[in-house]
Amino acid sequence: EFFGDYDLAALIDTALANNLDMQKTVQVLEMSRQDLLQSRANFYPSLGLTPFGYKRDYRSLYHDKYGNRASRRHANESETPPTSLYTQQLSYNLGVSTSWELGLWGKLRWKKDAARAAYMQSEEFKKAVQTALVAEVASTYYELLKLRAELEVAERNLDLNKNTLRIVELQYEAGEATSLAIRQTKSQKLRFEALIPQIEREYAVTENRLNTLLGRPPQKIDITGHLNNVGFKGNYNTGVPLELIQNRPDVAASEYELIASNAEVGIAEAMKYPSITIDAGLGLDSYKLNKLFTPVESAFALINGAIFQPIFQKRKLKTNYKKALARRQIAQLDFKEKMIDAVREVSDAMIILEKLEEEYALGEERLETTQKGVTDAALLFRSGFANYLEVITAQGDALDSELGLIDTKMQILLANIELYRSLGGGWQ
């Protein structure tokens, strides 16, 4: 709807589907989504299953102070077993265990809020990449149209200059012109000829750049449009500043960064309070494998809780909290700066557009004057009332004015694209 060019719209669709940076951005967004899902799962207990396990117990034999034979258990296999007078016994087990941390102080909720803000920030980053990609494809496309228009101008002026050179050569043969006239006219012709490979080189490089944006190797791009047919309506309803920038992804991303920073403050504060964890287990445990599945003899259940209260952490908790407050303050300043920059960019784009349109109107008037000068100079030259210097000067002025008008038209197109980008368009 904004560009009104079917060729350009097709190229933009191809870029959105195949651009490599765009695809990488989608994967970054997916990683943020997984982090958000994981943060939501923090509210639920963890659950583990031991389908089958065994444990080797070592028991060393000794006599107690009463002379009775006794044994002492070495429960962990990591312990060095006795080298003599010991027995070993296998214990078989299976069971289910669970652990649940109670989020009484909002730590888990703040973590979820931080993850959600990070995910939304990634979403806005994707929108910003998409908008920038659309703008870059459009500007590169218009650059191709500009180069094609410049090539047409250079070829047309070259043909005109060749005719002038033929006339000067005829005059030289008739003794009415000097060899200096031929050299200067030929120099003008060579100048026009040199423009053609220069423009063709720039066109090939620009075409390759556009193919890179489309996510494909260099190849020919069929373009049917013409620079003269490109235009924008030019009627802009600016509205109030906040309405202008509400669609900008970078402003929204800065806002989500502020939300995430605020959540980090909440997390840092909650870390100062006790953490409460409840553990529970249920299963079967037996020293005899054939009795493992006899619940009456081997069943067990346990439940316990733990409270951890940090007291002295070498000022780490207080330092983290103060740093979180500072980061939140920086995020507030960044958000304010981003909003001011956004309004400034929109204002700059509007001013540039207005002045470029005035410049373009003057350029059209100058082009009309110089083209009429070329026609008059040619007629006077054929009639003997003008010399070759006046003719090649008129042709040079016409070439410069026509190329200048094309350049101004290109600047207008780029200014429209910049306004489009500064208003946050391209991601809807």
Side-chain angles (χ1 to χ4, degrees):
E1 293 178 358
F2 182 81
F3 295 108
D5 188 318
Y6 291 108
D7 288 341
L8 177 55
L11 292 173
I12 290 174
D13 287 340
T14 302
L16 293 178
N18 301 329
N19 181 265
L20 300 181
D21 287 336
M22 194 69 198
Q23 294 182 37
K24 288 187 285 187
T25 303
V26 171
Q27 296 306 314
V28 171
L29 179 62
E30 175 61 21
M31 289 191 294
S32 295
R33 190 179 75 88
Q34 294 301 324
D35 288 337
L36 175 59
L37 294 177
Q38 195 276 327
S39 69
R40 291 175 177 174
N42 287 335
F43 289 92
Y44 306 111
S46 60
L47 184 66
L49 172 65
T50 304
F52 180 78
Y54 74 91
K55 180 173 57 178
R56 179 179 286 108
D57 288 341
Y58 295 94
R59 294 182 179 273
S60 56
L61 305 178
Y62 67 98
H63 292 82
D64 59 18
K65 61 181 180 179
Y66 301 106
N68 299 320
R69 186 169 180 173
S71 65
R72 182 172 65 246
R73 180 185 181 192
H74 299 263
N76 298 323
E77 293 189 24
S78 59
E79 296 180 5
T80 303
T83 57
S84 63
L85 298 177
Y86 74 94
T87 62
Q88 62 176 340
Q89 193 171 23
L90 291 178
S91 172
Y92 305 95
N93 62 82
L94 60 88
V96 177
S97 61
T98 182
S99 179
W100 185 25
E101 181 180 357
L102 303 181
L104 298 180
W105 318 114
K107 180 175 66 174
L108 300 181
R109 177 175 59 83
W110 284 120
K111 286 184 176 181
K112 185 186 72 171
D113 290 346
R116 182 191 297 113
Y119 170 73
M120 296 305 298
Q121 190 176 13
S122 298
E123 177 71 27
E124 296 301 329
F125 177 71
K126 173 181 174 292
K127 294 176 182 179
V129 171
Q130 182 168 329
T131 297
L133 178 61
V134 171
E136 192 169 0
V137 170
S139 61
T140 308
Y141 171 79
Y142 289 139
E143 180 69 20
L144 291 177
L145 295 185
K146 170 185 174 257
L147 291 171
R148 288 175 57 186
E150 289 179 344
L151 185 61
E152 293 176 1
V153 170
E155 291 175 343
R156 185 170 63 251
N157 280 272
L158 177 61
D159 292 337
L160 185 62
N161 191 263
K162 287 180 178 179
N163 293 331
T164 303
L165 179 60
R166 280 195 294 268
I167 295 175
V168 172
E169 289 173 342
L170 291 175
Q171 289 181 340
Y172 175 77
E173 293 174 359
E176 298 177 0
T178 63
S179 60
L180 177 61
I182 293 179
R183 284 195 293 271
Q184 288 184 316
T185 307
K186 184 176 293 186
S187 175
Q188 179 86 327
K189 182 180 77 70
L190 292 174
R191 175 196 170 194
F192 292 157
E193 284 182 334
L195 281 175
I196 294 176
Q198 177 183 341
I199 295 173
E200 291 175 341
R201 181 193 70 220
E202 293 180 4
Y203 187 92
V205 172
T206 305
E207 189 176 48
N208 287 342
R209 185 167 73 249
L210 182 55
N211 276 308
T212 300
L213 293 174
L214 301 180
R216 64 191 189 188
Q219 56 187 273
K220 181 70 176 176
I221 300 177
D222 295 326
I223 297 177
T224 60
H226 196 278
L227 188 67
N228 292 335
N229 300 327
V230 178
F232 295 93
K233 296 179 181 180
N235 298 321
Y236 302 104
N237 183 15
T238 57
V240 298
L242 288 180
E243 291 176 345
L244 286 176
I245 62 175
Q246 65 180 355
N247 289 327
R248 282 185 59 132
D250 57 340
V251 174
S254 181
E255 183 179 4
Y256 286 121
E257 176 65 25
L258 176 57
I259 295 173
S261 299
N262 186 65
E264 293 294 336
V265 172
I267 295 172
E269 185 175 15
M271 292 297 292
K272 297 185 295 184
Y273 302 111
S275 60
I276 302 176
T277 305
I278 298 176
D279 297 321
L282 180 67
L284 304 173
D285 192 347
S286 175
Y287 286 109
K288 297 181 179 180
L289 184 60
N290 58 356
K291 293 186 177 181
L292 177 63
F293 297 98
T294 305
V296 176
E297 299 185 19
S298 62
F300 74 89
L302 59 89
I303 184 169
N304 59 65
I307 300 178
F308 176 76
Q309 170 62 60
I311 298 176
F312 181 69
Q313 299 288 320
K314 300 179 181 179
R315 205 182 182 277
K316 291 181 181 179
L317 297 179
K318 184 176 181 180
T319 299
N320 291 337
Y321 178 68
K322 293 295 184 181
K323 289 170 65 176
L325 288 176
R327 283 193 293 267
R328 183 176 66 180
Q329 184 65 23
I330 293 174
Q332 290 175 344
L333 297 174
D334 287 341
F335 178 59
K336 183 178 180 179
E337 182 182 22
K338 188 67 67 175
M339 292 183 63
I340 293 174
D341 288 342
V343 176
R344 175 188 57 80
E345 289 179 5
V346 174
S347 177
D348 289 348
M350 294 296 297
I351 294 172
I352 291 172
L353 267 176
E354 179 184 356
K355 297 306 176 182
L356 281 175
E357 288 172 356
E358 294 178 7
E359 184 180 343
Y360 188 78
L362 294 174
E364 286 182 317
E365 185 177 352
R366 183 194 173 200
L367 177 60
E368 183 180 356
T369 301
T370 55
Q371 287 180 338
K372 190 175 185 302
V374 171
T375 303
D376 293 345
L379 292 175
L380 292 172
F381 182 62
R382 289 189 178 92
S383 303
F385 293 99
N387 58 37
Y388 73 94
L389 287 176
E390 293 172 304
V391 174
I392 62 176
T393 300
Q395 291 175 350
D397 288 343
L399 175 66
D400 291 340
S401 62
E402 194 163 5
L403 292 179
L405 189 65
I406 291 175
D407 185 67
T408 304
K409 178 67 174 289
M410 181 64 185
Q411 292 184 49
I412 291 176
L413 296 177
L414 293 178
N416 275 277
I417 294 174
E418 177 59 24
L419 178 62
Y420 165 87
R421 187 202 61 79
S422 62
L423 291 174
W427 56 264
Q428 291 88 347

mmCIF file of all heavy atoms in Angstrom, residues 107-137:
data_model
loop_
_atom_site.group_PDB
_atom_site.id
_atom_site.type_symbol
_atom_site.label_atom_id
_atom_site.label_comp_id
_atom_site.label_asym_id
_atom_site.label_seq_id
_atom_site.Cartn_x
_atom_site.Cartn_y
_atom_site.Cartn_z
ATOM 1 N N LYS A 107 9.789 -13.923 43.871
ATOM 2 C CA LYS A 107 10.978 -14.139 43.043
ATOM 3 C C LYS A 107 10.631 -14.833 41.738
ATOM 4 O O LYS A 107 11.077 -14.418 40.659
ATOM 5 C CB LYS A 107 12.013 -14.960 43.812
ATOM 6 C CG LYS A 107 13.290 -15.221 43.018
ATOM 7 C CD LYS A 107 14.327 -15.939 43.853
ATOM 8 C CE LYS A 107 13.865 -17.344 44.211
ATOM 9 N NZ LYS A 107 14.928 -18.098 44.907
ATOM 10 N N LEU A 108 9.815 -15.883 41.797
ATOM 11 C CA LEU A 108 9.444 -16.613 40.585
ATOM 12 C C LEU A 108 8.584 -15.750 39.664
ATOM 13 O O LEU A 108 8.709 -15.795 38.428
ATOM 14 C CB LEU A 108 8.703 -17.894 40.955
ATOM 15 C CG LEU A 108 9.489 -18.891 41.826
ATOM 16 C CD1 LEU A 108 8.649 -20.126 42.095
ATOM 17 C CD2 LEU A 108 10.802 -19.274 41.161
ATOM 18 N N ARG A 109 7.706 -14.944 40.269
ATOM 19 C CA ARG A 109 6.862 -14.067 39.446
ATOM 20 C C ARG A 109 7.709 -13.016 38.742
ATOM 21 O O ARG A 109 7.496 -12.719 37.562
ATOM 22 C CB ARG A 109 5.809 -13.398 40.332
ATOM 23 C CG ARG A 109 4.915 -12.408 39.588
ATOM 24 C CD ARG A 109 3.830 -11.882 40.506
ATOM 25 N NE ARG A 109 4.393 -11.221 41.680
ATOM 26 C CZ ARG A 109 4.803 -9.954 41.674
ATOM 27 N NH1 ARG A 109 4.741 -9.233 40.566
ATOM 28 N NH2 ARG A 109 5.274 -9.407 42.785
ATOM 29 N N TRP A 110 8.696 -12.457 39.453
ATOM 30 C CA TRP A 110 9.566 -11.471 38.814
ATOM 31 C C TRP A 110 10.387 -12.110 37.700
ATOM 32 O O TRP A 110 10.622 -11.484 36.653
ATOM 33 C CB TRP A 110 10.496 -10.846 39.861
ATOM 34 C CG TRP A 110 9.846 -9.848 40.759
ATOM 35 C CD1 TRP A 110 9.729 -9.906 42.119
ATOM 36 C CD2 TRP A 110 9.210 -8.619 40.371
ATOM 37 N NE1 TRP A 110 9.067 -8.814 42.608
ATOM 38 C CE2 TRP A 110 8.734 -7.994 41.555
ATOM 39 C CE3 TRP A 110 8.992 -7.989 39.158
ATOM 40 C CZ2 TRP A 110 8.071 -6.778 41.545
ATOM 41 C CZ3 TRP A 110 8.326 -6.764 39.138
ATOM 42 C CH2 TRP A 110 7.881 -6.175 40.322
ATOM 43 N N LYS A 111 10.824 -13.345 37.910
ATOM 44 C CA LYS A 111 11.572 -14.035 36.858
ATOM 45 C C LYS A 111 10.704 -14.245 35.618
ATOM 46 O O LYS A 111 11.173 -14.092 34.480
ATOM 47 C CB LYS A 111 12.090 -15.385 37.364
ATOM 48 C CG LYS A 111 13.263 -15.275 38.317
ATOM 49 C CD LYS A 111 13.794 -16.652 38.699
ATOM 50 C CE LYS A 111 15.028 -16.536 39.584
ATOM 51 N NZ LYS A 111 15.570 -17.864 39.952
ATOM 52 N N LYS A 112 9.441 -14.576 35.844
ATOM 53 C CA LYS A 112 8.536 -14.749 34.707
ATOM 54 C C LYS A 112 8.323 -13.419 33.993
ATOM 55 O O LYS A 112 8.310 -13.357 32.746
ATOM 56 C CB LYS A 112 7.198 -15.316 35.181
ATOM 57 C CG LYS A 112 6.242 -15.649 34.032
ATOM 58 C CD LYS A 112 4.883 -16.079 34.531
ATOM 59 C CE LYS A 112 4.112 -14.898 35.094
ATOM 60 N NZ LYS A 112 2.704 -15.225 35.395
ATOM 61 N N ASP A 113 8.148 -12.342 34.749
ATOM 62 C CA ASP A 113 7.964 -11.033 34.133
ATOM 63 C C ASP A 113 9.198 -10.621 33.335
ATOM 64 O O ASP A 113 9.080 -10.042 32.239
ATOM 65 C CB ASP A 113 7.677 -9.983 35.211
ATOM 66 C CG ASP A 113 6.301 -10.166 35.844
ATOM 67 O OD1 ASP A 113 5.491 -10.924 35.273
ATOM 68 O OD2 ASP A 113 6.047 -9.573 36.911
ATOM 69 N N ALA A 114 10.376 -10.901 33.861
ATOM 70 C CA ALA A 114 11.611 -10.574 33.142
ATOM 71 C C ALA A 114 11.715 -11.374 31.855
ATOM 72 O O ALA A 114 12.104 -10.850 30.804
ATOM 73 C CB ALA A 114 12.825 -10.836 34.034
ATOM 74 N N ALA A 115 11.371 -12.662 31.916
ATOM 75 C CA ALA A 115 11.429 -13.500 30.713
ATOM 76 C C ALA A 115 10.398 -13.056 29.687
ATOM 77 O O ALA A 115 10.675 -13.051 28.479
ATOM 78 C CB ALA A 115 11.204 -14.959 31.091
ATOM 79 N N ARG A 116 9.203 -12.661 30.148
ATOM 80 C CA ARG A 116 8.181 -12.177 29.213
ATOM 81 C C ARG A 116 8.641 -10.889 28.539
ATOM 82 O O ARG A 116 8.478 -10.706 27.322
ATOM 83 C CB ARG A 116 6.863 -11.943 29.938
ATOM 84 C CG ARG A 116 5.750 -11.486 28.985
ATOM 85 C CD ARG A 116 4.522 -11.007 29.696
ATOM 86 N NE ARG A 116 3.880 -12.051 30.486
ATOM 87 C CZ ARG A 116 3.802 -12.050 31.804
ATOM 88 N NH1 ARG A 116 4.325 -11.035 32.502
ATOM 89 N NH2 ARG A 116 3.203 -13.025 32.438
ATOM 90 N N ALA A 117 9.234 -9.986 29.320
ATOM 91 C CA ALA A 117 9.730 -8.739 28.742
ATOM 92 C C ALA A 117 10.849 -9.002 27.740
ATOM 93 O O ALA A 117 10.918 -8.365 26.686
ATOM 94 C CB ALA A 117 10.214 -7.802 29.849
ATOM 95 N N ALA A 118 11.724 -9.971 28.049
ATOM 96 C CA ALA A 118 12.802 -10.318 27.121
ATOM 97 C C ALA A 118 12.234 -10.907 25.836
ATOM 98 O O ALA A 118 12.727 -10.622 24.731
ATOM 99 C CB ALA A 118 13.766 -11.307 27.781
ATOM 100 N N TYR A 119 11.189 -11.720 25.974
ATOM 101 C CA TYR A 119 10.558 -12.295 24.781
ATOM 102 C C TYR A 119 9.921 -11.201 23.926
ATOM 103 O O TYR A 119 10.088 -11.176 22.699
ATOM 104 C CB TYR A 119 9.506 -13.319 25.193
ATOM 105 C CG TYR A 119 8.644 -13.783 24.043
ATOM 106 C CD1 TYR A 119 9.151 -14.635 23.065
ATOM 107 C CD2 TYR A 119 7.319 -13.366 23.918
ATOM 108 C CE1 TYR A 119 8.368 -15.057 22.000
ATOM 109 C CE2 TYR A 119 6.531 -13.775 22.858
ATOM 110 C CZ TYR A 119 7.063 -14.626 21.905
ATOM 111 O OH TYR A 119 6.287 -15.024 20.850
ATOM 112 N N MET A 120 9.194 -10.292 24.560
ATOM 113 C CA MET A 120 8.560 -9.210 23.809
ATOM 114 C C MET A 120 9.606 -8.291 23.187
ATOM 115 O O MET A 120 9.403 -7.750 22.095
ATOM 116 C CB MET A 120 7.632 -8.416 24.732
ATOM 117 C CG MET A 120 6.457 -9.220 25.265
ATOM 118 S SD MET A 120 5.466 -9.983 23.951
ATOM 119 C CE MET A 120 4.880 -8.530 23.075
ATOM 120 N N GLN A 121 10.723 -8.123 23.877
ATOM 121 C CA GLN A 121 11.803 -7.316 23.313
ATOM 122 C C GLN A 121 12.365 -7.991 22.063
ATOM 123 O O GLN A 121 12.670 -7.327 21.065
ATOM 124 C CB GLN A 121 12.904 -7.125 24.357
ATOM 125 C CG GLN A 121 13.962 -6.105 23.968
ATOM 126 C CD GLN A 121 14.968 -5.880 25.064
ATOM 127 O OE1 GLN A 121 15.041 -6.639 26.017
ATOM 128 N NE2 GLN A 121 15.760 -4.829 24.952
ATOM 129 N N SER A 122 12.503 -9.320 22.100
ATOM 130 C CA SER A 122 12.949 -10.058 20.910
ATOM 131 C C SER A 122 11.930 -9.939 19.783
ATOM 132 O O SER A 122 12.292 -9.842 18.608
ATOM 133 C CB SER A 122 13.180 -11.528 21.262
ATOM 134 O OG SER A 122 14.198 -11.677 22.222
ATOM 135 N N GLU A 123 10.654 -9.939 20.143
ATOM 136 C CA GLU A 123 9.605 -9.758 19.138
ATOM 137 C C GLU A 123 9.720 -8.387 18.474
ATOM 138 O O GLU A 123 9.598 -8.262 17.243
ATOM 139 C CB GLU A 123 8.235 -9.916 19.804
ATOM 140 C CG GLU A 123 7.054 -9.688 18.880
ATOM 141 C CD GLU A 123 6.860 -10.796 17.869
ATOM 142 O OE1 GLU A 123 7.257 -11.941 18.157
ATOM 143 O OE2 GLU A 123 6.319 -10.508 16.780
ATOM 144 N N GLU A 124 9.975 -7.366 19.278
ATOM 145 C CA GLU A 124 10.146 -6.023 18.718
ATOM 146 C C GLU A 124 11.418 -5.942 17.886
ATOM 147 O O GLU A 124 11.458 -5.245 16.866
ATOM 148 C CB GLU A 124 10.179 -4.985 19.843
ATOM 149 C CG GLU A 124 8.884 -4.885 20.640
ATOM 150 C CD GLU A 124 7.689 -4.516 19.774
ATOM 151 O OE1 GLU A 124 7.877 -3.789 18.777
ATOM 152 O OE2 GLU A 124 6.563 -4.961 20.086
ATOM 153 N N PHE A 125 12.459 -6.650 18.308
ATOM 154 C CA PHE A 125 13.688 -6.682 17.520
ATOM 155 C C PHE A 125 13.430 -7.310 16.156
ATOM 156 O O PHE A 125 13.938 -6.839 15.137
ATOM 157 C CB PHE A 125 14.761 -7.464 18.270
ATOM 158 C CG PHE A 125 16.052 -7.618 17.509
ATOM 159 C CD1 PHE A 125 16.889 -6.538 17.306
ATOM 160 C CD2 PHE A 125 16.416 -8.855 16.997
ATOM 161 C CE1 PHE A 125 18.064 -6.678 16.593
ATOM 162 C CE2 PHE A 125 17.591 -9.009 16.281
ATOM 163 C CZ PHE A 125 18.432 -7.919 16.086
ATOM 164 N N LYS A 126 12.626 -8.366 16.129
ATOM 165 C CA LYS A 126 12.257 -8.977 14.852
ATOM 166 C C LYS A 126 11.500 -7.985 13.974
ATOM 167 O O LYS A 126 11.744 -7.888 12.766
ATOM 168 C CB LYS A 126 11.400 -10.224 15.102
ATOM 169 C CG LYS A 126 10.828 -10.851 13.836
ATOM 170 C CD LYS A 126 9.989 -12.058 14.169
ATOM 171 C CE LYS A 126 9.299 -12.607 12.924
ATOM 172 N NZ LYS A 126 8.268 -11.684 12.409
ATOM 173 N N LYS A 127 10.589 -7.223 14.585
ATOM 174 C CA LYS A 127 9.862 -6.212 13.826
ATOM 175 C C LYS A 127 10.806 -5.152 13.271
ATOM 176 O O LYS A 127 10.659 -4.704 12.133
ATOM 177 C CB LYS A 127 8.806 -5.560 14.713
ATOM 178 C CG LYS A 127 7.681 -6.479 15.152
ATOM 179 C CD LYS A 127 6.745 -5.761 16.105
ATOM 180 C CE LYS A 127 5.632 -6.667 16.614
ATOM 181 N NZ LYS A 127 4.743 -5.958 17.573
ATOM 182 N N ALA A 128 11.777 -4.748 14.091
ATOM 183 C CA ALA A 128 12.734 -3.742 13.636
ATOM 184 C C ALA A 128 13.575 -4.267 12.478
ATOM 185 O O ALA A 128 13.830 -3.546 11.505
ATOM 186 C CB ALA A 128 13.639 -3.325 14.799
ATOM 187 N N VAL A 129 14.002 -5.531 12.571
ATOM 188 C CA VAL A 129 14.769 -6.129 11.479
ATOM 189 C C VAL A 129 13.923 -6.201 10.216
ATOM 190 O O VAL A 129 14.393 -5.922 9.110
ATOM 191 C CB VAL A 129 15.272 -7.532 11.882
ATOM 192 C CG1 VAL A 129 15.882 -8.257 10.693
ATOM 193 C CG2 VAL A 129 16.289 -7.421 13.001
ATOM 194 N N GLN A 130 12.648 -6.551 10.369
ATOM 195 C CA GLN A 130 11.758 -6.647 9.207
ATOM 196 C C GLN A 130 11.560 -5.277 8.569
ATOM 197 O O GLN A 130 11.615 -5.143 7.339
ATOM 198 C CB GLN A 130 10.420 -7.238 9.651
ATOM 199 C CG GLN A 130 9.437 -7.433 8.507
ATOM 200 C CD GLN A 130 8.245 -8.275 8.922
ATOM 201 O OE1 GLN A 130 8.379 -9.143 9.780
ATOM 202 N NE2 GLN A 130 7.104 -8.019 8.328
ATOM 203 N N THR A 131 11.332 -4.257 9.391
ATOM 204 C CA THR A 131 11.151 -2.909 8.849
ATOM 205 C C THR A 131 12.412 -2.439 8.141
ATOM 206 O O THR A 131 12.350 -1.864 7.045
ATOM 207 C CB THR A 131 10.787 -1.933 9.982
ATOM 208 O OG1 THR A 131 9.547 -2.327 10.556
ATOM 209 C CG2 THR A 131 10.663 -0.519 9.463
ATOM 210 N N ALA A 132 13.578 -2.673 8.768
ATOM 211 C CA ALA A 132 14.836 -2.276 8.144
ATOM 212 C C ALA A 132 15.067 -3.032 6.838
ATOM 213 O O ALA A 132 15.576 -2.457 5.859
ATOM 214 C CB ALA A 132 15.997 -2.526 9.110
ATOM 215 N N LEU A 133 14.692 -4.302 6.797
ATOM 216 C CA LEU A 133 14.855 -5.095 5.583
ATOM 217 C C LEU A 133 13.976 -4.556 4.467
ATOM 218 O O LEU A 133 14.422 -4.414 3.310
ATOM 219 C CB LEU A 133 14.523 -6.559 5.869
ATOM 220 C CG LEU A 133 14.594 -7.513 4.678
ATOM 221 C CD1 LEU A 133 15.992 -7.539 4.099
ATOM 222 C CD2 LEU A 133 14.156 -8.914 5.088
ATOM 223 N N VAL A 134 12.722 -4.251 4.769
ATOM 224 C CA VAL A 134 11.820 -3.685 3.763
ATOM 225 C C VAL A 134 12.390 -2.375 3.236
ATOM 226 O O VAL A 134 12.405 -2.122 2.018
ATOM 227 C CB VAL A 134 10.420 -3.469 4.359
ATOM 228 C CG1 VAL A 134 9.534 -2.688 3.396
ATOM 229 C CG2 VAL A 134 9.765 -4.806 4.687
ATOM 230 N N ALA A 135 12.855 -1.517 4.141
ATOM 231 C CA ALA A 135 13.409 -0.230 3.727
ATOM 232 C C ALA A 135 14.649 -0.408 2.863
ATOM 233 O O ALA A 135 14.835 0.301 1.865
ATOM 234 C CB ALA A 135 13.729 0.616 4.957
ATOM 235 N N GLU A 136 15.509 -1.354 3.222
ATOM 236 C CA GLU A 136 16.735 -1.548 2.452
ATOM 237 C C GLU A 136 16.452 -2.145 1.081
ATOM 238 O O GLU A 136 17.074 -1.753 0.088
ATOM 239 C CB GLU A 136 17.704 -2.443 3.228
ATOM 240 C CG GLU A 136 19.093 -2.472 2.641
ATOM 241 C CD GLU A 136 20.101 -3.145 3.541
ATOM 242 O OE1 GLU A 136 19.716 -3.588 4.640
ATOM 243 O OE2 GLU A 136 21.283 -3.226 3.152
ATOM 244 N N VAL A 137 15.509 -3.085 1.003
ATOM 245 C CA VAL A 137 15.129 -3.634 -0.306
ATOM 246 C C VAL A 137 14.559 -2.532 -1.191
ATOM 247 O O VAL A 137 14.891 -2.428 -2.380
ATOM 248 C CB VAL A 137 14.115 -4.782 -0.133
ATOM 249 C CG1 VAL A 137 13.527 -5.182 -1.482
ATOM 250 C CG2 VAL A 137 14.776 -5.983 0.522
#
